[in-house]
Amino acid sequence: MPSRPDRALVLTALICFFGLQSCTNQTKQTLRIGAIPDQNPERLNRLYGLLSTELSKELNVPVRYKAVTNYPAAVSAFRTDSLDLVWFGGLTGVQARLQKPGAEVIAQRDIDAKFTSVFIANTKSGIKPLKNKSELQQLNGKRFTFGSESSTSGRLMPQHFLQQAGVQMNDFSGGKPGFSGSHDATIALVQSGSFDAGALNESVWKSARKNGRIDPAKVKVIWRTPPYADYHWLAQPNLDKKFGDGFTEKLKYTLTGLKKSSKSQAKILELFGASSFVDADQNQYITIETIGRQLGKIQ
Amino acid sequence: MRRLLEIKGVFVHSIRGNRLNDINLSISSGERVALVGSNGSGKSSLLAVANGTLLPDLGKVIWKDYSTSNLGQRQRKEIGTLWQDLRLVEELNVAQNINCGALANRNLLWSLANLLKPIELNACSECLQKVGLSTSILSAMVSELSGGQRQRVAIARLLRQKPELILADEPLFSLDPILAEEILHLFLDNTMTSDMGEERTLLMSLHQPSFFRHFDRVIALKSGRVVFDQPSECLDDEALALIYGSA
Amino acid sequence: MSRLSPTPPILSLLPALALLPVLISILISFHNGGATLLWEFICAAVHPSIQAEVVQSAFRGIQITFSTALLSWSLSSIFGICLGIASARVVWETFLGKSWPATVIRRLLAIPRSIHELLWGLLLLQMVGLSPWVAIVAIVIPYTSLVARVVSDQLDTKDRRALKGLKQAGAGSSSALITALGPAMGPVLLSYVGYRLECALRGATVLGVFGLGGIGTDLQLALQSLQFHDVWTALWLLAAVMFSLEQILSLIRGYFKLSKNGIWQITTILIVLLILCALSIPWLNAVDIDLGEPLHWSPLPLPTFYELIDAIHTLPWIQLISSTMLLTVLAAGIAIGTPPLAMMLWPSQLGIAIQRIIWGLLRLMPTPLTALFLMLFSKPSLAVAALALGAHNIGVMGRLLKEGLDQQSDNHLKALSAAGAGTRSAWLYGCFSGQSRSYLAYAAYRTDVILRETVVVGMVGGTGLGWQLIESLGSFNWAQVIVLIAVFTALTLIGEAITDRLRYHWTGSTKKLPMVVDLQS
């Protein structure tokens, strides 16, 4: 007759066995999509939940959205093949493409070809709206924040324009700029007065204004940057091999084919803040690559 | 003589019966009282009731005009206790331990400063000299001292407190007879007079019958009751047998 | 005798002076705009969001975090115990008669320990991509080495007379070891291994904040988009889980204290570990975390020698290292000095009860979130980073102090207050003094931990090596990353050597150290 410890051991072994077994039942190829976390999580989950369903329906493959919560992680996930299709910002897209030769720029929103950032300032900071780029000099000695450090519209391009105007990073109060972490946070921190000024994505600014989260008495736009190309969909080079020939084309076609006339598709476009997706080309991002190299964000 | 401490109908319960059972006594200023009784007879409880660290379940303990259940800092300072386990703060040195006696009259900053660096060293040395210790040990850690030295440091701390009533819980316990005699004399000769020349009052628990003659009065406890309370001359062999004999 | 001779109690209080510069610099930059946000945040505490989506997401998040913690904890405990035995001198001496292999293993184990789990997580993420194993392995690596260190230290400090006796009586090496040292290890393992689970839960939460999934992710995203009601939903859920875990663990500890059979305790621990390890896998599967997914191994491109040299030349080392050290010193000062200071100033029962609740909340809040939160009212600065890092550790130190004081008799306190000392002085001399040595010893150890944790806030406060490391990772500059990690590891190892000395200094002269201090390393 087995003694007490023996029985316990047998039980443990059984539990271990079932435990391990339960994690080895997986078969069908899934299209894994991801996105850089540039908005609040609820919105991201809702948006990509809808998009996954739509893509799955159109492409006839299972689609799964995997949340990533920081920019470099999204790039790494793409490099390591953990994600098949990712919604990248300008800089992260270039970083990912350089680390994964052959990756293909699939599409962008209608607004992405001519994207802009806005510089905002707290009304008490004494910073006046700028007439031209060189007046960014006003920001010397002020507390200034970017968004996420790998963000194109929240850091890279604003920093580029600042440097063009002759403002160096150590000219800010405290010897360096802050990194709020996201566009929403930049608004909040400038509005609260933690920072005198900041820079962020104009489309986030617009939607925040629409939702009434901005108090015009406390924060105002001081300058809009010249346009540049930003967000885009980037796909792995091996999708055709994985899902069958012509899959990448089909994907491109499906994305650019999303229409406002379909109810479910209209919702997706609305959440993306776009009227449609359009074809995109990697050559649009050469400027970003150059600036990225200048600022040391691309090696 | 003024009544200092009055204990009226005090009971202290515990799981194994009453530790103190209807105690009634009063102690007047200037008295030197020996408290005797076998182990577990309630001596320590009585001393604890007297200094207010143990509140009676029934009855009253009055110090001057105050009940010990709500003594203010000033009144508590007037009652000094020499604990059986001494209760020196092991992490501190001799001077800092002696200064513990003065905490009643000082504020928090003073006590913090004392931890940073022992202060008022002159007062400490004075107390130390009275108990027959060299001032060279002022900066020694108390944990490094011998048993007899620790006992003296504890007495020095008591002197620093300048109490009117001294409660001593078996201070001679675990000392060899010669040392015991020495400590007792030190107690009676050096500590019983205040700086102003007033006589202090003493309530000391002890076991050695040969020392009783140094006291004015002997109180004996047995199973939590007072079984003897008379001038020390009246304590004869018969009484001793009663106190220490089996119930 | 005019020389200062600070005593352990004052040495534990003095670090609180670090609060002065930190609070002053934060108060100077405090502004009205922040007050509204702060008020909103406080109000949201009573009105956590109960929207189905938010609650569901938080509920799923806490399950992921908890099962990740459970799995990584059980794995690291099992590996740690094995490695601990393998790195104990006494074991090698009994089998081979020499102890150098133990020393070698010990030295090697110091390296995984010196790198914070967050760094392991970010590095692994680069190498294997998004996989639930990243978070698990990131915790397992340093925790295994921590457990191993405690196990081997404990084995080596046990009395060896019984072992020698058994060997002389002809017992085999392994049976002699088990009989002589096994029973005493039971309670030690139980206490320490249980404590590690709490750490694992906190660790898994922090990893979440940096994007590795679970409740930390929900918290971070909600706080960053200023959805305070959602933040509180997640916080309360986390609080409930942490509080129940602390209570359950202390119940178990209490229960096992009664049983004296050490071998039985060890067997039980091992069986429980295996079962929990096995259970957490299907649990993770149940919340849609697929552990069976193949890893996408893609090693980092190794930088060339010249790239490394270049990285060494380009980084501002003096500034990076000095700000890391300053951050460590300030945060450690706050963490060490505040709990005794608060208890001294407010030693009443009500005061202590309130402090316990506050310490609990501080432990709960992941450091980067505290920093992010503080920045809503203040400029980002080293002070903010130090306060955030200090605050979390106040929670840990406060709890430790309270536990230590609870175990101590109140004889001294009674004696001093009977002699007329005020409540505060009496607490200081009669209560705290008795704990001060072991508190300091633990504080020395905690300083190590804080140095490692500077990585976590460095990013938010924009200071120190931690921030530079995150920045280099974001630019995928591997040469810089490698050099920075090497420097950081060296710094932590040096720090560990110094604090080990201090620890020995504080505990060396007391005969018996409360177990909790010995074990919580």
Side-chain angles (χ1 to χ4, degrees):
Chain A
M1 195 184 140
S3 67
R4 212 170 75 182
D6 283 345
R7 255 185 289 166
L9 272 180
V10 171
L11 189 70
T12 314
L14 275 177
I15 294 179
C16 290
F17 175 73
F18 286 117
L20 286 174
Q21 208 198 21
S22 67
C23 68
T24 50
N25 39 18
Q26 222 231 335
T27 42
K28 203 169 176 196
Q29 285 288 9
T30 311
L31 180 72
R32 296 154 306 167
I33 61 172
I36 51 165
D38 61 337
Q39 297 182 58
N40 80 54
E42 245 182 87
R43 199 179 153 101
L44 285 175
N45 279 324
R46 206 143 47 99
L47 170 58
Y48 289 97
L50 288 173
L51 184 68
S52 302
T53 323
E54 194 67 30
L55 285 181
S56 181
K57 202 170 74 191
E58 298 284 325
L59 297 168
N60 203 19
V61 290
V63 178
R64 191 165 152 200
Y65 165 61
K66 294 176 92 176
V68 191
T69 45
N70 68 55
Y71 286 47
V75 176
S76 300
F78 190 80
R79 182 176 72 88
T80 54
D81 257 341
S82 307
L83 293 172
D84 296 313
L85 176 68
V86 182
W87 179 241
F88 274 121
L91 173 64
T92 41
V94 173
Q95 284 176 331
R97 198 147 42 79
L98 291 174
Q99 293 186 31
K100 190 81 188 190
E104 202 171 333
V105 177
I106 297 241
Q108 60 185 192
R109 294 174 300 188
D110 50 350
I111 54 172
D112 286 319
K114 286 191 176 345
F115 208 75
T116 46
S117 299
V118 286
F119 280 71
I120 57 173
N122 190 289
T123 42
K124 283 190 193 143
S125 64
I127 303 172
K128 291 182 206 68
L130 318 184
K131 292 191 194 72
N132 55 49
K133 202 190 316 178
S134 60
E135 285 187 25
L136 282 173
Q137 285 283 356
Q138 274 191 81
L139 297 174
N140 271 338
K142 299 286 183 189
R143 299 194 305 267
F144 183 84
T145 184
F146 292 118
S148 172
E149 32 163 27
S150 297
S151 165
T152 306
S153 52
R155 185 213 176 153
L156 190 80
M157 294 314 290
Q159 184 172 346
H160 171 65
F161 292 120
L162 281 165
Q163 293 196 334
Q164 280 191 342
V167 182
Q168 299 306 315
M169 290 306 103
N170 50 15
D171 290 338
F172 294 123
S173 163
K176 57 183 177 281
F179 289 97
S180 71
S182 76
H183 302 295
D184 287 312
T186 302
I187 299 180
L189 291 175
V190 174
Q191 181 157 309
S192 79
S194 294
F195 288 95
D196 296 321
L200 74 148
N201 176 327
E202 187 172 13
S203 83
V204 173
W205 170 261
K206 278 182 178 160
S207 85
R209 205 176 47 192
K210 211 170 85 189
N211 298 333
R213 288 198 290 112
I214 286 165
D215 182 350
K218 288 184 178 161
V219 62
K220 59 175 192 258
V221 173
I222 50 168
W223 189 56
R224 174 182 297 112
T225 64
Y228 52 88
D230 198 353
Y231 292 84
H232 54 280
W233 285 106
L234 192 67
Q236 291 283 359
N238 64 354
L239 290 190
D240 287 356
K241 217 161 80 193
K242 203 166 155 191
F243 295 96
D245 279 340
F247 186 82
T248 315
E249 272 307 307
K250 210 169 134 196
L251 189 61
K252 194 182 276 190
Y253 180 77
T254 313
L255 281 170
T256 50
L258 294 177
K259 282 190 193 63
K260 278 194 160 173
S261 49
S262 147
K263 204 175 160 196
S264 57
Q265 296 181 353
K267 187 74 200 163
I268 295 174
L269 288 171
E270 187 202 318
L271 285 167
F272 263 105
S275 14
S276 67
F277 280 101
V278 297
D279 281 335
D281 185 80
Q282 63 181 55
N283 291 330
Q284 289 173 280
Y285 298 94
I286 290 174
T287 331
I288 296 224
E289 187 178 335
T290 321
I291 297 170
R293 283 188 199 281
Q294 275 168 13
L295 301 183
K297 294 302 293 181
I298 296 173
Q299 300 302 315
Chain B
M1 279 199 296
R2 199 157 60 98
R3 271 191 189 169
L4 280 183
L5 185 73
E6 231 177 312
I7 300 179
K8 292 182 187 165
V10 161
F11 285 82
V12 172
H13 307 307
S14 76
I15 319 159
R16 281 167 292 159
N18 290 346
R19 281 197 285 173
L20 292 181
N21 210 333
D22 194 16
I23 305 276
N24 285 289
L25 36 96
S26 68
I27 290 169
S28 310
S29 77
E31 267 191 306
R32 297 179 179 191
V33 183
L35 184 63
V36 301
S38 51
N39 292 331
S41 57
K43 300 189 297 294
S44 296
S45 303
L46 182 63
L47 290 172
V49 161
N51 69 18
T53 49
L54 181 66
L55 293 179
D57 292 307
L58 208 66
K60 263 193 248 169
V61 184
I62 309 288
W63 167 255
K64 293 182 179 171
D65 290 325
Y66 306 86
S67 160
T68 53
S69 60
N70 54 358
L71 289 182
Q73 251 179 287
R74 242 188 71 201
Q75 289 82 39
R76 278 186 275 139
K77 188 217 149 236
E78 293 166 351
I79 309 175
T81 311
L82 184 65
W83 304 85
Q84 190 174 359
D85 55 0
L86 306 182
R87 305 199 179 171
L88 295 173
V89 185
E90 304 294 329
E91 283 72 20
L92 307 181
N93 69 21
V94 170
Q96 285 161 331
N97 262 287
I98 295 176
N99 272 334
C100 283
L103 286 176
N105 309 331
R106 305 297 199 282
N107 59 19
L108 185 60
L109 277 182
W110 187 89
S111 31
L112 284 170
N114 182 44
L115 289 178
L116 196 58
K117 177 184 157 198
I119 42 183
E120 299 188 12
L121 286 175
N122 289 336
C124 293
S125 325
E126 220 171 89
C127 298
L128 211 51
Q129 275 159 358
K130 275 195 191 159
V131 296
L133 284 178
S134 137
T135 51
S136 64
I137 67 159
L138 268 178
S139 57
M141 298 302 290
V142 288
S143 50
E144 293 159 2
L145 302 180
S146 71
Q149 285 173 317
R150 289 166 63 88
Q151 186 97 24
R152 287 170 202 250
V153 171
I155 299 171
R157 178 175 71 179
L158 196 62
L159 288 176
R160 185 94 167 88
Q161 190 183 334
K162 303 192 174 87
E164 285 183 41
L165 169 68
I166 295 178
L167 304 169
D169 194 358
E170 306 205 14
L172 312 179
F173 186 79
S174 83
L175 298 181
D176 64 62
I178 296 169
L179 194 57
E181 177 120 28
E182 203 182 313
I183 296 271
L184 180 70
H185 279 294
L186 185 111
F187 227 104
L188 298 175
D189 303 339
N190 292 358
T191 69
M192 293 310 294
T193 329
S194 74
D195 300 342
M196 323 295 274
E198 284 165 25
E199 276 294 294
R200 289 191 173 124
T201 313
L202 176 67
L203 179 59
M204 180 191 284
S205 65
L206 74 170
H207 283 297
Q208 295 87 334
S210 56
F211 293 153
F212 292 166
R213 64 197 153 83
H214 299 294
F215 292 82
D216 304 327
R217 175 180 163 196
V218 175
I219 297 176
L221 290 180
K222 192 168 182 177
S223 314
R225 284 176 195 279
V226 177
V227 292
F228 181 93
D229 181 0
Q230 285 179 50
S232 55
E233 307 88 76
C234 306
L235 191 75
D236 48 22
D237 289 348
E238 200 183 325
L240 273 179
L242 171 78
I243 298 162
Y244 286 103
S246 58
Chain C
M1 211 178 65
S2 59
R3 192 161 57 88
L4 283 184
S5 57
T7 50
I10 200 80
L11 281 175
S12 324
L13 280 167
L14 276 180
L17 287 177
L19 276 170
L20 277 179
V22 168
L23 288 181
I24 288 174
S25 92
I26 288 181
L27 281 180
I28 285 176
S29 55
F30 187 87
H31 46 77
N32 235 357
T36 359
L37 278 175
L38 180 61
W39 182 240
E40 270 179 41
F41 182 78
I42 293 170
C43 292
V46 251
H47 294 290
S49 168
I50 44 166
Q51 276 180 39
E53 279 172 18
V54 178
V55 176
Q56 266 168 17
S57 159
F59 196 64
R60 178 165 179 268
I62 192 86
Q63 289 189 66
I64 295 174
T65 300
F66 191 72
S67 45
T68 303
L70 209 56
L71 183 56
S72 44
W73 166 73
S74 45
L75 286 176
S76 63
S77 303
I78 294 169
F79 296 154
I81 292 172
C82 299
L83 280 172
I85 294 170
S87 60
R89 285 190 199 95
V90 63
V91 173
W92 287 95
E93 274 167 20
T94 315
F95 279 104
L96 292 182
K98 48 192 157 207
S99 65
W100 63 264
T103 318
V104 173
I105 301 179
R106 228 170 241 253
R107 294 267 154 80
L108 287 178
L109 281 176
I111 294 169
R113 198 169 56 223
S114 68
I115 299 176
H116 193 268
E117 57 256 32
L118 171 64
L119 274 185
W120 283 115
L122 293 175
L123 284 175
L124 286 168
L125 188 71
Q126 300 295 338
M127 286 190 261
V128 300
L130 279 183
S131 157
W133 285 107
V134 168
I136 296 163
V137 177
I139 298 178
V140 168
I141 294 174
Y143 280 35
T144 298
S145 143
L146 283 166
V147 174
R149 176 192 183 189
V150 170
V151 169
S152 61
D153 278 355
Q154 288 291 325
L155 280 171
D156 281 341
T157 48
K158 289 274 176 287
D159 193 353
R160 293 195 194 174
R161 277 175 300 188
L163 179 68
K164 280 188 188 139
L166 281 168
K167 281 282 275 185
Q168 265 167 2
S173 297
S174 41
S175 59
L177 273 174
I178 294 174
T179 329
L181 302 178
M185 288 300 288
V188 172
L189 278 183
L190 192 79
S191 183
Y192 184 66
V193 164
Y195 165 75
R196 281 319 309 171
L197 179 55
E198 290 172 32
C199 298
L201 185 57
R202 285 199 280 269
T205 312
V206 168
L207 287 178
V209 172
F210 285 86
L212 294 174
I215 192 91
T217 305
D218 289 74
L219 271 170
Q220 203 266 350
L221 291 174
L223 186 65
Q224 204 156 65
S225 47
L226 306 177
Q227 311 287 328
F228 294 145
H229 299 279
D230 302 4
V231 171
W232 278 103
T233 312
L235 270 184
W236 286 127
L237 208 56
L238 187 61
V241 171
M242 280 202 179
F243 179 75
S244 344
L245 185 68
E246 283 179 12
Q247 294 304 309
I248 291 171
L249 284 174
S250 81
L251 270 181
I252 294 178
R253 267 193 284 266
Y255 171 75
F256 271 96
K257 248 177 211 159
L258 302 173
S259 122
K260 288 273 181 275
N261 187 341
I263 298 285
W264 185 74
Q265 284 177 345
I266 296 181
T267 325
T268 323
I269 294 168
L270 286 176
I271 290 179
V272 166
L273 284 173
L274 281 172
I275 291 180
L276 288 178
C277 174
L279 284 179
S280 47
I281 293 173
W283 189 1
L284 276 167
N285 266 1
V287 283
D288 210 17
I289 295 291
D290 189 6
L291 290 170
E293 194 177 333
L295 295 179
H296 306 271
W297 176 253
S298 41
L300 298 176
L302 273 184
T304 63
F305 179 71
Y306 292 104
E307 282 174 328
L308 287 176
I309 297 288
D310 187 50
I312 294 175
H313 281 302
T314 42
L315 293 173
W317 291 110
I318 295 177
Q319 188 250 328
L320 287 178
I321 293 176
S322 60
S323 61
T324 305
M325 297 315 284
L326 186 61
L327 180 59
T328 310
V329 168
L330 288 176
I334 292 172
I336 297 165
T338 313
L341 183 69
M343 275 202 193
M344 177 182 77
L345 293 178
W346 200 8
S348 71
Q349 277 197 330
L350 175 72
I352 303 272
I354 291 176
Q355 285 165 45
R356 268 187 78 174
I357 295 173
I358 296 177
W359 301 161
L361 286 174
L362 290 177
R363 268 201 308 282
L364 173 72
M365 191 91 166
T367 319
L369 290 189
T370 317
L372 216 56
F373 178 68
L374 285 172
M375 288 205 331
L376 296 179
F377 330 110
S378 185
K379 280 185 282 186
S381 60
L382 199 130
V384 168
L387 186 61
L389 188 53
H392 178 80
N393 286 289
I394 284 177
V396 180
M397 294 302 288
R399 171 173 170 214
L400 186 92
L401 179 59
K402 178 78 179 58
E403 277 174 1
L405 291 174
D406 285 347
Q407 284 167 13
Q408 176 184 282
S409 88
D410 59 351
N411 281 346
H412 283 81
L413 181 68
K414 272 189 183 165
L416 286 164
S417 84
T423 31
R424 289 174 184 150
S425 305
W427 183 87
L428 187 59
Y429 281 71
C431 235
F432 182 55
S433 290
Q435 277 301 310
S436 53
R437 253 177 219 286
S438 48
Y439 184 76
L440 273 179
Y442 186 67
Y445 162 73
R446 201 72 212 168
T447 310
D448 272 2
V449 178
I450 290 174
L451 174 58
R452 277 196 289 269
E453 283 184 350
T454 50
V455 173
V456 180
V457 289
M459 152 172 213
V460 189
T463 45
L465 289 164
W467 180 77
Q468 183 59 49
L469 199 57
I470 307 272
E471 171 86 12
S472 300
L473 268 172
S475 323
F476 305 96
N477 187 333
W478 304 123
Q480 282 185 5
V481 170
I482 288 174
V483 176
L484 281 165
I485 289 183
V487 170
F488 206 72
T489 309
L491 214 57
T492 351
L493 289 177
I494 295 170
E496 211 173 274
I498 296 172
T499 53
D500 267 355
R501 291 225 156 163
L502 282 175
R503 218 146 64 98
Y504 182 77
H505 176 75
W506 293 121
T507 54
S509 46
T510 45
K511 286 178 202 88
K512 197 163 177 292
L513 193 64
M515 190 143 94
V516 73
V517 169
D518 231 22
L519 292 183
Q520 298 209 342
S521 32

